[in-house]
Amino acid sequence: MALLTPVSTPGPRRVVRVDLDAPLPELVADDRGVTALVVGYRDGHPVTTLDVALTDDPADAGRAIAALAAGPAGSPVGSSDGLHAGSSVVPTGSIAGTSAVPDTALPSVSVVVSTIVTRLADIARLLDHLAALDYPSYEVVVVDNRVAVPAEDPLPGLLAGHDVRLVVERRPGCSAGRNAGVAAATGEVVAFTDDDVRVDPRWLRMIGTRFVQEPELDAVTGMILPAELETPAQIWYEAYYGGFSGERTFDPLTLVPEDAPGALRHARVSAVAADGSVRRRFPVYGVGGYGAGANWAVRRSVFDRVGGFDPVLGAGVPARGGEDLAMFIDVLWRGGRIGVEPRAVVHHRHRPDLAGLHAQLHANGVGFTALLCALVSADRRHLAALVRLAPPAARAMAGRVLGRLVRRGSTPAASVTPSTVPPTRVPRSLAFHELRGFPAGPAAWLRSRRAWREVERTHTGA
C-alpha cells in the first residue's frame, strides 16, 4: 500500500521567479539545492508553478521551463466536495481583468498587522516591503498584541524609520489585536497580513483594482506563495497544503453564496470563473480552500456590519485558530461575495522545523471545530446546515487528506519528466496532528469563552 512506503527527507528547494515572456534563466544544481519551485510570471503576475529537477546541465531545467512557458496560463480549482459542478452562473459584476484602474478611483486602504513581536527579522522584512508598496493611498497599522512587554523592548527599534501607526492591545489573541487595529484604521478597505509574510510591491494595487472592477465584492483574498523552501518541514507543508489551505489556482474567481430555501440558504457556495462557469461548488465551511488570514482584505463597512473577529477564536487563545475562516463564512452566510484574486501576492515563510509544523497543523484542526461551535452558538441555522452537508464534506476532506499523503506536489504525476520532480510525499504525522485536533476543538472553544470572560472582567474592572 502506498501509504506504507517510507517518506524520504527532501533537501533544500529553491524558489525561483521566472518571467515566461523573457529569455529563460539557466538553472543548475548548487549548494542551494538540486530542485527548484519555479513560479512562472506573465505581465508581472504569477500564472503557474512547477517543481524542476536541477542538474549540472542548464539545458535539463531549461526544457521543463520552456514547456511551462508554452503551456496555458492559469489552472482550475479541484474537486467539488460532493456537490455538482460544471454549470454556469454569471456574476452580477465582472471579474477583474487586466485593465488598469486610475489611482484616483482606487479606495484608501489600511494594512493591519497584529504581532506579539517574537519574529524580529520577519517583522523587519515585512515593514520594509510594506514601505515599498505601489499604491496611492494607504496606511500601515501595527498592533502590539503582547500581554506583557519585556524590559528590553525591541519593537521601538523595529518601527524606527517606518511610517506606521502603533496601536497597543494587551488583551490576548490575534482577533483582539486585529479588531483594535481596525478600530484605529481610516481606510475604506482594511487589508490583513501576518508578521512572517513578505508582500509583493503590487499587492494592494491588485486588491484595490479588484474591488473597483467588481464593486459587488465584500472581501478579496489573494495568492500565498512560499518565501523559501529550505527545510524538509517547509517543503512538506507546501506539498501538504499547496496554497496554504487548498488547491492553488491562478484564475480569478468569485465566491457566490447560493440562495437555497430554508436552512441551506447561503450554506453552499459557487466558485465562479470569469466566463460565468462554476468551477466548483462546496459547503460554505470549506471556504478556507480559497484564502487565509495572511492575505485578504475587506470593506470597512462590511467588517463593522459583521461585527469584527470573534475574540474567542484565533491564535493566542485556547481555540488556537479559525478566526479568519469564521469571518469569511460570516460574509458569505449574510449573502456577501468574496473575490479570489491570484494577482494579489504575498510570500509566507512556513514553519522551518517539524515540531513547529506539527503544532501548527494541530492548531488548525482545533481551530476548525472550535469555529464551528462558535458559528452554531451565534446562529442555530448552522447546525441544520452542518447536519445536511457534513457527510459529503467529510468524504471530500478524507479524500483530500489521503491525496496529500500519497501524491501531493505542485507537479501532476502524469506530467513528470526527467526534468521535473515527482510529487512530494509527506509524513503521515502531518495528517495525524491535524486530524487529532478536530475532536479537541469544542472543549477548546468552551475554555476560550471562559478565558475571554475573565479577560473582559480584568480589563473592565468588573
Side-chain angles (χ1 to χ4, degrees):
M1 183 176 176
L3 285 179
L4 299 180
T5 304
V7 176
S8 60
T9 301
R13 181 167 298 168
R14 293 160 60 184
V15 180
V16 182
R17 171 175 172 159
V18 174
D19 184 347
L20 299 178
D21 295 319
L24 298 179
E26 294 188 345
L27 300 179
V28 295
D30 56 23
D31 57 2
R32 294 174 294 167
V34 296
T35 62
L37 173 64
V38 173
V39 184
Y41 280 72
R42 282 201 162 96
D43 298 322
H45 309 296
V47 295
T48 189
T49 60
L50 183 70
D51 286 333
V52 176
L54 304 179
T55 67
D56 293 335
D57 184 354
D60 291 334
R63 283 188 290 271
I65 300 175
L68 190 69
S75 62
V77 181
S79 66
S80 60
D81 279 4
L83 304 176
H84 300 290
S87 58
S88 179
V89 176
V90 179
T92 304
S94 59
I95 289 179
T98 57
S99 58
V101 171
D103 284 359
T104 54
L106 292 170
S108 59
V109 179
S110 297
V111 180
V112 172
V113 182
S114 183
T115 179
I116 56 172
V117 198
T118 56
R119 299 181 283 226
L120 303 186
D122 286 334
I123 296 171
R125 280 191 290 265
L126 171 62
L127 292 173
D128 288 340
H129 282 259
L130 290 174
L133 285 172
D134 169 28
Y135 201 74
S137 177
Y138 75 100
E139 64 176 356
V140 177
V141 180
V142 174
V143 182
D144 177 2
N145 193 212
R146 294 172 293 181
V147 175
V149 179
E152 295 186 9
D153 185 4
L155 187 57
L158 289 170
L159 299 182
H162 292 283
D163 184 15
V164 304
R165 296 172 57 203
L166 178 63
V167 174
V168 175
E169 175 55 86
R170 297 292 176 227
R171 291 177 296 179
C174 63
S175 289
R178 288 171 175 164
N179 285 340
V182 176
T186 62
E188 302 165 69
V189 168
V190 182
F192 299 93
T193 193
D194 293 337
D195 63 8
D196 57 354
V197 159
R198 306 168 196 176
V199 299
D200 186 88
R202 293 175 61 80
W203 173 56
L204 283 191
R205 184 169 290 276
M206 295 302 99
I207 289 174
T209 296
R210 186 67 183 271
F211 274 119
V212 171
Q213 294 185 329
E214 200 172 347
E216 293 81 10
L217 293 179
D218 292 317
V220 170
T221 65
M223 171 76 70
I224 299 176
L225 295 170
E228 63 186 31
L229 295 173
E230 297 179 356
T231 70
Q234 290 177 328
I235 293 171
W236 285 329
Y237 182 80
E238 181 66 15
Y240 186 71
Y241 263 132
F244 230 76
S245 49
E247 299 283 355
R248 181 173 283 136
T249 176
F250 293 90
D251 296 329
L253 300 167
T254 301
L255 306 185
V256 182
E258 298 181 0
D259 198 14
L264 292 185
R265 185 168 185 260
H266 300 153
R268 293 188 179 102
V269 179
S270 295
V272 184
D275 62 2
S277 64
V278 176
R279 291 292 181 84
R280 182 180 173 198
R281 281 192 167 97
F282 60 95
V284 68
Y285 312 103
V287 69
Y290 292 93
N295 184 7
W296 77 289
V298 62
R299 296 188 191 276
R300 172 62 184 272
S301 59
V302 173
F303 184 92
D304 292 340
R305 187 163 64 248
V306 170
F309 292 100
D310 184 348
V312 174
L313 301 175
V317 297
R320 308 285 294 276
E323 79 294 341
D324 49 355
L325 300 189
M327 179 68 74
F328 299 160
I329 292 169
D330 272 345
V331 169
L332 294 168
W333 193 252
R334 295 165 183 261
R337 296 182 174 211
I338 298 176
V340 181
E341 182 46 72
R343 299 177 303 170
V345 181
V346 305
H347 307 266
H348 179 261
R349 193 168 73 87
H350 304 335
R351 301 293 194 279
D353 61 281
L354 187 58
L357 176 54
H358 283 163
Q360 180 185 8
L361 293 175
H362 177 66
N364 289 352
V366 172
F368 182 71
T369 49
L371 84 86
L372 295 181
C373 292
L375 293 172
V376 170
S377 176
D379 185 346
R380 293 304 173 90
R381 195 162 59 89
H382 279 292
L383 182 59
L386 284 167
V387 169
R388 292 281 299 277
L389 298 177
R395 288 193 296 270
M397 178 177 289
R400 285 199 301 273
V401 169
L402 289 174
R404 290 168 180 170
L405 295 177
V406 174
R407 54 160 177 76
R408 197 58 186 274
S410 65
T411 305
S415 63
V416 172
T417 71
S419 298
T420 57
V421 181
T424 301
R425 297 179 56 81
V426 301
R428 285 174 290 170
S429 62
L430 271 62
F432 169 76
H433 283 280
E434 183 177 24
L435 293 175
R436 78 181 180 91
F438 291 153
W445 174 71
L446 291 172
R447 291 197 303 274
S448 271
R449 287 212 307 176
R450 289 194 295 268
W452 186 252
R453 287 170 185 158
E454 182 60 32
V455 166
E456 291 287 75
R457 282 195 295 269
T458 301
H459 282 260
T460 61

